Amino acid sequence: MYFPAEMNFQYFFFDTYPGYFLQVLPVALLVGIIYVIVKTRKGTALSKTLISSLFVCYITGLLCLTLFISILGDIYYFLFYHMPSDRTYNWFSFEFDFIPDFHLNFSTENAGNILMFFPFGLLYPLFNRNNTWIRTLLVGLAVSVGIELLQPIFGRSFDINDIILNGIGVIASTAIYFSLKLAFLQKKQL
C-alpha cells in the first residue's frame, strides 16, 4: 500500500517511540533551560546547575511520555495540520493489572520500560549530591509507582509489570553509578 509522504511523517511522529521522543524533547529542553536560568540567578554555579539540569530535563521528559503524550500529540497535530486531531480522551479509565506476567512474553515495550527508568539511577545522584544508593532506589521506585497511580486518571492503565520493569532499570543504573563512584573514590585514595 502506498502512503503519501505526509502520512509517513504522521505515522512516524505520532505513532512510534522515536516520534514520541521528538514530541517530548522540546518541552524537556525548555524546562531545563528555565531551570538553569532560575538557578544561576539565585547564585548557583553554572557548572553545577548544568549537571543537575540533566535530571530536570529527564524527569520532565519522563512525565510527558508517561502522562501527557496524548495531549502533546494533539498540540503538535494542531501546529502541523492547523486542525484538531479528532482524538477522544478517555479520562479516568481505572484499568488495573496486578498480575506480574512480563516474563511470559517479553516485548519491546517491556524493554522500553526498563530503558525509560535506566537514566534515573545515573542522573538523580548528580541532581542531589548527598544521595545514597538506597535513597536513589527508593525515590526511583516512588516515582514509578506515582506515575502508575496517575496513569488511570489520564486514560491509561495501572500495570504492576511497568513498576517491576522500571524498578529493574533503576536498580541497574544505581548499581552502575555507585559502583563507579566507589571505584573512583578508592582509586583517588591510592
Side-chain angles (χ1 to χ4, degrees):
M1 177 177 235
Y2 173 75
F3 290 104
E6 182 179 12
M7 290 299 290
N8 290 336
F9 170 77
Q10 186 173 341
Y11 169 75
F12 172 77
F13 193 74
F14 295 105
D15 290 326
T16 65
Y17 293 126
Y20 296 147
F21 176 78
L22 290 174
Q23 289 179 39
V24 167
L25 187 61
V27 176
L29 290 175
L30 179 64
V31 171
I33 290 168
I34 292 169
Y35 174 81
V36 168
I37 291 169
V38 169
K39 290 299 267 187
T40 53
R41 284 194 177 177
K42 289 184 176 181
T44 308
L46 182 61
S47 60
K48 194 176 194 181
T49 302
L50 286 175
I51 290 171
S52 63
S53 71
L54 293 174
F55 180 73
V56 172
C57 291
Y58 163 72
I59 210 74
T60 301
L62 183 67
L63 292 173
C64 287
L65 280 173
T66 56
L67 299 176
F68 307 116
I69 197 64
S70 297
I71 297 166
L72 272 177
D74 282 350
I75 292 169
Y76 281 113
Y77 193 90
F78 187 78
L79 289 172
F80 290 145
Y81 301 110
H82 307 294
M83 58 192 223
S85 69
D86 294 333
R87 183 187 319 205
T88 58
Y89 289 98
N90 298 322
W91 300 98
F92 303 102
S93 69
F94 296 112
E95 295 177 25
F96 298 92
D97 180 7
F98 293 107
I99 301 168
D101 57 359
F102 66 90
H103 59 282
L104 299 176
N105 185 19
F106 198 82
S107 65
T108 56
E109 183 180 342
N110 294 343
N113 276 311
I114 293 171
L115 292 175
M116 198 176 340
F117 270 78
F118 187 81
F120 194 96
L122 303 172
L123 297 176
Y124 184 70
L126 296 173
F127 176 75
N128 186 354
R129 302 272 179 177
N130 300 327
N131 234 356
T132 64
W133 64 272
I134 290 202
R135 183 178 169 107
T136 302
L137 287 176
L138 292 176
V139 172
L141 291 174
V143 168
S144 176
V145 169
I147 287 171
E148 283 302 313
L149 289 172
L150 289 172
Q151 279 185 337
I153 295 170
F154 292 92
R156 300 189 61 197
S157 64
F158 174 94
D159 191 349
I160 194 70
N161 294 300
D162 291 352
I163 294 172
I164 294 168
L165 295 166
N166 296 161
I168 291 169
V170 172
I171 290 167
S173 59
T174 301
I176 290 169
Y177 177 85
F178 284 97
S179 296
L180 290 174
K181 182 178 178 181
L182 181 64
F184 178 75
L185 289 174
Q186 287 175 345
K187 185 177 180 181
K188 193 175 179 181
Q189 289 177 350
L190 297 176

